[in-house]
Amino acid sequence: MTTVDQNQRRRRGTGLIALDPEHAFAGYTLFAPLTGGGEVHLIDLDGTEVHTWKLPYRAGRHARILPGGNLAHNGVLPDQEALFPMWHKYRGGVMGVYAPDGTPLREHIDPLQHHDAHHLDDGGILYSGLEALTGPDAAAVRGGVPGSEAEGGTVWADTIVEVDAEGREVWSWRASEHLDREAYALHPDYAREHWPLINSVTPLADGNILASLRSSSAVIVISRETGEVLWRTDPGLVSQQHHPTELPNGTFLVFDNGVFRPGHDVPYSRVIEIDRATKEVVWEYHDPAKESFFAPFMGSAQRLPNGNTLITDSPAGRLFEVTADGLVVWEYVVPYFGGYQESEVRGLFPAEPNAVFRSYRYAAEELPWLETGR
């Protein structure tokens, strides 16, 4: 046997890769390894671990710090059956808030929750879920690989649910009720088991909802009042995208994965800023060697207070920060690799990945307990 580590990502080096302290945004970076079994890590700019949460659920995608310093964590509800082949990859089910020492403060359970859960300032949660479509309702979904529905010919369609701090439903939305089947058809190479695969939901300043529909390559704005689609990206602008967020000037920042990008024979990922009025790209980052930055799934981007952007190259476990001019000023590779102890996921991903869904940067004043040692 060779003594060379056969894990390419680990072999290339982990931990802090690069730092320009003069231009990087000072603060702490939070990430939750998808193979970590419930660990959430907080590191400083030097890549030194300054705090760790050890929670009872493996990451159901990601965690973030709430105003006041508590941790919102989306975990995987144990012992659930797979609704379709890829369900165990991105399902969640446990939406919790935890004190810095890991004490649970509240948890909301929904076995049909997946991908995103946005914890609101009032204690409520806005999250993506599922409902089953069968018979003519399933057949009405356009696109995808013929015959690739879930068991019984089922197409699992997305919903968006909002609950209050007590877990009572206060608002909901159904893709099957509000999306035009032709306008939001599945990409022809996608399975018909899940439509349209909402991977991000977040409230906008005007009260409406921003959502990302991966398998239809669309970012949309949903009216909270009527449920109708008020705005969408033009077809071809984004491809299998993730994590749209609203910036203070009203533009949308989007991690554009680039899978099946029309007119491009070499795939690459980018982060773009879209003007809501014109639907035009007003800022873009891609690696100078475009093909060297390609995340075929997952990914996130956060605009920082100094104008820099923190980017999560999720499959590679690579977190990096760029200036407005596209210069890298910080780079870190997640050093936590795992083979997924749970058999439900190891069968899908037998390698040892260091993937994370999202990462977030926080200024010191957002973590008062870290500064005081409480």
Side-chain angles (χ1 to χ4, degrees):
M1 291 182 61
T2 179
T3 59
V4 174
D5 188 345
Q6 297 304 298
N7 188 307
Q8 178 191 151
R9 293 170 184 162
R10 189 166 52 210
R11 190 171 65 242
R12 289 181 173 181
T14 62
L16 183 68
I17 303 298
L19 171 62
D20 177 349
E22 182 179 349
H23 295 99
F25 177 72
Y28 301 89
T29 305
L30 183 84
F31 60 91
L34 294 177
T35 58
E39 289 193 353
V40 180
H41 303 272
L42 187 69
I43 61 172
D44 63 18
L45 281 186
D46 293 320
T48 301
E49 186 113 355
V50 297
H51 192 76
T52 304
W53 290 261
K54 296 185 178 181
L55 305 178
Y57 311 103
R58 70 177 174 90
R61 301 289 92 177
H62 65 103
R64 70 184 182 95
I65 300 292
L66 298 176
N70 289 324
L71 182 80
H73 179 260
N74 302 324
V76 175
L77 187 64
D79 304 321
Q80 300 294 299
E81 294 184 2
L83 302 179
F84 46 84
M86 292 299 288
W87 178 236
H88 284 321
K89 177 187 175 185
Y90 50 68
R91 70 183 183 87
V94 185
M95 294 155 273
V97 175
Y98 304 89
D101 65 359
T103 301
L105 302 177
R106 58 182 181 272
E107 292 180 343
H108 178 68
I109 305 295
D110 184 342
L112 295 179
Q113 183 266 330
H114 66 89
H115 277 96
D116 203 8
H118 186 91
H119 293 250
L120 305 169
D121 292 343
D122 62 3
I125 310 172
L126 183 74
Y127 63 91
S128 49
L130 289 180
E131 67 169 346
L133 303 182
T134 58
D137 291 331
V141 173
R142 303 270 71 90
V145 178
S148 60
E149 292 85 357
E151 185 176 356
T154 300
V155 173
W156 289 90
D158 284 305
T159 64
I160 301 175
V161 179
E162 182 181 344
V163 295
D164 63 18
E166 284 70 47
R168 297 172 298 210
E169 184 176 308
V170 295
W171 184 84
S172 65
W173 179 89
R174 301 166 63 214
S176 63
E177 180 179 349
H178 293 288
L179 288 188
D180 180 280
R181 303 298 199 277
E182 296 292 343
Y184 297 95
L186 290 166
H187 186 279
D189 290 320
Y190 267 77
R192 289 175 50 81
E193 60 192 16
H194 186 179
W195 169 77
L197 209 162
I198 293 179
N199 56 33
S200 179
V201 290
T202 185
L204 296 173
D206 63 9
N208 294 313
I209 307 299
L210 182 65
S212 168
L213 284 53
R214 185 189 183 205
S215 299
S216 299
S217 289
V219 174
I220 64 173
V221 174
I222 299 167
S223 169
R224 185 184 288 272
E225 182 178 355
T226 67
E228 67 180 310
V229 176
L230 301 175
W231 182 95
R232 70 160 290 176
T233 49
D234 290 333
L237 180 63
V238 292
S239 298
Q240 316 299 300
Q241 74 296 320
H242 284 75
H243 198 216
T245 56
E246 182 182 28
L247 300 182
N249 64 359
T251 59
F252 296 146
L253 189 70
V254 182
F255 187 101
D256 181 21
N257 294 75
V259 181
F260 304 125
R261 180 177 287 120
H264 293 261
D265 59 344
V266 176
Y268 66 94
S269 296
R270 61 180 185 163
V271 176
I272 57 175
E273 186 178 339
I274 305 170
D275 183 276
R276 185 169 175 177
T278 66
K279 299 186 180 181
E280 294 180 349
V281 174
V282 296
W283 181 84
E284 176 176 349
Y285 169 80
H286 57 73
D287 195 277
K290 288 185 177 181
E291 71 282 357
S292 70
F293 170 36
F294 176 53
F297 50 90
M298 304 188 293
S300 72
Q302 177 193 7
R303 180 60 49 80
L304 301 172
N306 67 348
N308 291 355
T309 302
L310 178 68
I311 300 172
T312 307
D313 180 357
S314 297
R318 175 177 172 245
L319 323 178
F320 64 104
E321 178 184 348
V322 301
T323 67
D325 294 327
L327 301 176
V328 173
V329 294
W330 183 81
E331 184 175 5
Y332 175 89
V333 175
V334 173
Y336 305 105
F337 291 80
Y340 288 107
Q341 296 304 311
E342 300 84 355
S343 59
E344 65 182 27
V345 178
R346 193 172 178 87
L348 295 171
F349 301 95
E352 292 185 321
N354 62 336
V356 296
F357 189 57
R358 295 179 188 166
S359 64
Y360 293 94
R361 177 75 53 77
Y362 296 97
E365 55 266 27
E366 297 177 272
L367 304 162
W369 49 265
L370 183 65
E371 297 304 300
T372 62
R374 292 198 301 270

